[in-house]
Amino acid sequence: MRRCWVLATGLGLAACASVPAPRIFSQLDGVSSAPAVAEARKLAPAGVARAEKLRQDARRAHESGRTAAATALAEHSLAAFEHAVVLARLARAESRLALAEHTLKERERELAAVDESQTRAAADAEALELRVRVARDAIARLPSTPAGPDRERARLQAARALASQARLLCAAAGLLGSSDGLAAAVAKVDALDTALRGEPKVTPIDAALQARASCLTELTRSRRAAPASGGELDADGLLAELSRTGTLFPFRDDRGVVVTLRAVFGQGDALAPGASERVELLGRAAKAHPSFPLLIVVHTARGAGSAKQGERLAELLKAAGAPRVKVELAGASQPLVEPGGPDASARNARIEVVFVSSAP
Amino acid sequence: MRVRSTRLWGLLLFAALLAPPTAARRDSDRGAAEAILAELGADRRHAKLAAEPIARARDALDRARDARGAADAEHGALLEAVGRQWAEAARDLTRAAAAEQRLHDAEKKTSSAEEQLTRARAVLEDTVLRRARAQAQLDELEPKPAAKPVTGAKP
């Protein structure tokens, strides 16, 4: 009887003792105090609050003896904590992304402003440098004194080259629009040419320098007076565009962008094989950029030569769409290599197609 | 009157039974979880990243089906909610990864823009100096305009 009493008491106590919590509860305790969850409390507080509520529901279900529901709710709470951590990660990434995108926009805006300042400063610097060159050329030098025959011969050659350059600069100025002093500058070049044709004993080298300086000054004045191209390509842009063709090899000088053509014509007026493609490219470029009038300069290997080939080329370029074309004959006044040397004729005889730049 | 009302209720019940269960399903935890899992299944790029929460969501939904099969609707509903929670966690994990990728791209672009900006500022500094040099040379070369004669004060 006594034994039965002890057994009954034991069973009664066992029945009253609390049921041990499922393992998932200790796992849940670990997760809820993890550093990632602590951070999620700041970035995703609603998610963590939901997870905490589920955890409490799970505890209550366990205390009321609904073990299966308690386990499912604890599992739900665990998933909610994980979700809150993910939401915190998403919030952090989106906040940093917004900041990075704002910074990127700021940098792009600053870069555009610096680029604009650079364009303006470069244009100013180029204009000033050109004015410096013109001012230097215009400075009256000490008059040249008579020299020995060899020196005089060299001076005569140089004076002829300067006179020819002066005429081409004045022609370029005329293509951009006549300036007040252009007629006087051209008259100076005409007088110089007359003097040089007479084989003078003392070469007028100073007059030749001054004539070139005058024409460069007139070209600068015409450029200043020329209307703005309204966002059209500048000389550097045109140079880059022509360079990209891979067949024209352009360069820049005081007049603008220059393309040198050799052996353009075969027999008679017909274009030599391979030349038509280059002429077509030049015509297309002239048509696309009408703010660059064309100056065709015929250089010969020897003697004055004739401008016939230049005129024929002008016709072809006009037919291809070039709006303004002028032909000048430079003769043999500007040889590239010493005449008489091997291949000198082939190198010195050439036609220059100048895209006269209206910007300094 | 009573007969008509009974018929009307009968018709309504019949219509409710025939109506497709899709809408109700979509609103339920199972429906929502399955829709998310289907969406994630099409996203091959983040398949590996979200593999674990997806597996947990599927496992919970399977157990929910078993519970419902054993007529334990309460436990089944609780497990469906668990499945939905894991599915949402998986979806937001892929969103976080996508946002982090965009962040990485934006930071890379910002870094490149900053380098360009430094270079552009250096070039601008050179150009400003070049302009100042040219202006100084020009000031030396070009004659200054003659100063206007000072006129006397008006009477």
Side-chain angles (χ1 to χ4, degrees):
Chain A
M1 182 64 192
R2 189 176 172 172
R3 233 181 242 173
C4 285
W5 174 246
V6 170
L7 187 63
T9 310
L11 283 170
L13 284 171
C16 291
S18 62
V19 178
R23 257 180 56 195
I24 194 167
F25 277 87
S26 55
Q27 198 184 343
L28 199 50
D29 291 341
V31 166
S32 69
S33 57
V37 173
E39 200 190 357
R41 279 182 212 281
K42 292 178 210 152
L43 294 169
V48 176
R50 181 171 149 75
E52 290 287 11
K53 189 187 171 298
L54 285 163
R55 189 175 160 212
Q56 282 167 14
D57 290 349
R59 286 261 175 229
R60 272 197 288 273
H62 172 63
E63 280 159 15
S64 63
R66 294 160 55 224
T67 310
T71 308
L73 284 165
E75 207 179 317
H76 194 172
S77 172
L78 191 67
F81 273 121
E82 291 281 349
H83 191 187
V85 169
V86 168
L87 286 173
R89 185 174 158 184
L90 178 61
R92 194 170 46 242
E94 281 180 345
S95 144
R96 284 182 60 196
L97 176 62
L99 185 68
E101 281 174 345
H102 175 74
T103 312
L104 176 61
K105 271 187 190 159
E106 280 289 307
R107 295 293 170 273
E108 283 172 347
R109 213 178 1 252
E110 285 175 56
L111 190 59
V114 171
D115 279 347
E116 204 184 317
S117 302
Q118 165 63 21
T119 307
R120 264 202 315 272
D124 287 354
E126 271 176 33
L128 286 169
E129 282 164 357
L130 184 65
R131 282 173 66 190
V132 167
R133 281 206 299 278
V134 171
R136 276 199 181 130
D137 280 353
I139 291 172
R141 288 172 175 76
L142 285 174
S144 305
T145 51
D150 286 348
R151 185 98 189 251
E152 276 302 324
R153 243 194 322 277
R155 272 184 182 174
L156 183 62
Q157 216 172 343
R160 282 182 177 145
L162 285 166
S164 171
Q165 286 170 15
R167 190 170 291 287
L168 297 178
L169 288 168
C170 274
L175 273 170
L176 292 180
S178 177
S179 60
D180 291 342
L182 184 59
V186 172
K188 219 183 263 185
V189 180
D190 289 343
L192 179 65
D193 272 345
T194 311
L196 289 171
R197 268 198 298 273
E199 299 282 337
K201 280 186 182 160
V202 179
T203 309
I205 187 77
D206 297 330
L209 282 166
Q210 278 170 14
R212 190 186 185 283
S214 301
C215 285
L216 187 56
T217 304
E218 293 315 315
L219 178 57
T220 307
R221 282 189 186 143
S222 301
R223 280 174 175 155
R224 280 187 205 149
S229 58
E232 229 215 284
L233 212 58
D234 62 4
D236 287 334
L238 180 65
L239 180 78
E241 189 180 300
L242 294 176
S243 300
R244 277 197 294 274
T245 60
T247 52
L248 296 175
F249 310 108
F251 60 92
R252 278 196 69 173
D253 69 9
D254 284 334
R255 298 164 295 174
V257 181
V258 188
V259 173
T260 305
L261 300 174
R262 287 190 173 80
V264 185
F265 294 98
Q267 294 293 316
D269 281 354
L271 284 170
S276 58
E277 189 200 344
R278 283 179 295 158
V279 171
E280 209 172 292
L281 281 172
L282 288 167
R284 270 210 300 270
K287 188 181 179 184
H289 307 294
S291 64
F292 290 86
L294 292 188
L295 178 63
I296 293 176
V297 186
V298 181
H299 295 270
T300 57
R302 64 186 71 79
S306 95
K308 202 178 150 194
Q309 287 195 339
E311 277 154 12
R312 175 71 187 126
L313 182 61
E315 279 169 23
L316 291 169
L317 289 171
K318 276 182 187 165
R324 276 179 295 165
V325 189
K326 186 177 182 182
V327 182
E328 282 286 335
L329 178 64
S333 59
Q334 296 183 54
L336 292 176
V337 294
E338 190 65 36
D343 295 334
S345 294
R347 290 195 64 192
N348 290 336
R350 65 199 186 278
I351 298 178
E352 284 177 344
V353 178
V354 185
F355 289 80
V356 179
S357 169
S358 59
Chain B
M1 183 72 184
R2 191 169 174 167
V3 174
R4 278 182 69 186
S5 173
T6 313
R7 275 186 189 163
L8 185 66
W9 279 111
L11 271 173
L12 282 172
L13 184 65
F14 183 67
L17 285 171
L18 279 184
T22 334
R25 255 184 95 110
R26 200 181 298 130
D27 294 339
S28 72
D29 286 336
R30 172 174 287 278
E34 281 174 349
I36 293 169
L37 291 176
E39 186 189 317
L40 290 172
D43 180 4
R44 299 246 175 264
R45 211 161 39 139
H46 296 110
K48 201 173 169 187
L49 175 80
E52 196 195 328
I54 288 173
R56 286 185 177 220
R58 290 213 168 105
D59 175 58
L61 292 177
D62 288 349
R63 285 188 287 137
R65 194 186 51 231
D66 293 347
R68 282 193 188 274
D72 186 354
E74 188 204 353
H75 197 208
L78 285 171
L79 285 170
E80 278 165 359
V82 174
R84 180 180 185 165
Q85 189 77 58
W86 279 119
E88 284 174 354
R91 180 198 58 201
D92 289 338
L93 188 60
T94 62
R95 284 180 183 169
E100 281 163 357
Q101 183 58 51
R102 287 203 304 279
L103 170 67
H104 175 73
D105 294 346
E107 281 176 341
K108 216 167 139 184
K109 278 185 193 165
T110 306
S111 165
S112 159
E114 275 167 353
E115 273 175 30
Q116 276 184 45
L117 188 59
T118 308
R119 278 200 299 272
R121 279 190 179 133
V123 171
L124 177 61
E125 246 173 60
D126 283 353
T127 311
V128 169
L129 282 175
R130 190 179 134 207
R131 183 174 61 187
R133 270 198 304 274
Q135 185 64 63
Q137 286 170 351
L138 195 63
D139 289 346
E140 275 181 24
L141 289 165
E142 281 188 343
K144 306 267 179 306
K148 282 183 183 171
V150 180
T151 54
K154 281 182 184 172

